[in-house]
Amino acid sequence: MISSVIDYIYIGQLLQNKLQDTGISRLNSNWSDHSILHMSLVVGQSPSGPGLWRANPAYATHYTLRTQITQKVHNLLT
């Protein structure tokens, strides 16, 4: 079997000093022959204000929204 890997993660200069870790996670071979690239950034605290988005914890209790998100994630993975 011949295999090759061409995987890159590009980040801008402003984020390079915040890079903490990188890695490759193998997927179950029954699902795919691809792997997942991941990275961790240390970004610290974000000030609140215009342009900042955070998830509203109240959404976690919204049954219909949770059901829709679960279905969309399931559809992406199958």
Side-chain angles (χ1 to χ4, degrees), residues 1-77:
M1 176 167 99
I2 299 173
S3 71
S4 65
V5 177
I6 304 174
D7 295 319
Y8 299 95
I9 296 176
Y10 293 100
I11 61 173
Q13 290 180 346
L14 295 174
L15 293 177
Q16 286 179 0
N17 64 337
K18 299 183 184 314
L19 183 63
Q20 182 180 22
D21 188 34
T22 61
I24 300 174
S25 297
R26 305 271 180 222
L27 292 173
N28 185 318
S29 61
N30 292 326
W31 299 342
S32 175
D33 61 346
H34 295 273
S35 297
I36 297 174
L37 295 176
H38 55 90
M39 67 179 180
S40 298
L41 299 171
V42 178
V43 294
Q45 296 289 329
S46 298
S48 59
L52 179 67
W53 181 87
R54 292 189 179 132
N56 184 339
Y59 292 148
T61 62
H62 195 280
Y63 177 79
T64 303
L65 181 60
R66 283 192 352 245
T67 303
Q68 290 175 357
I69 292 171
T70 300
Q71 186 60 47
K72 292 205 181 281
V73 169
H74 176 77
N75 290 345
L76 285 171
L77 297 175

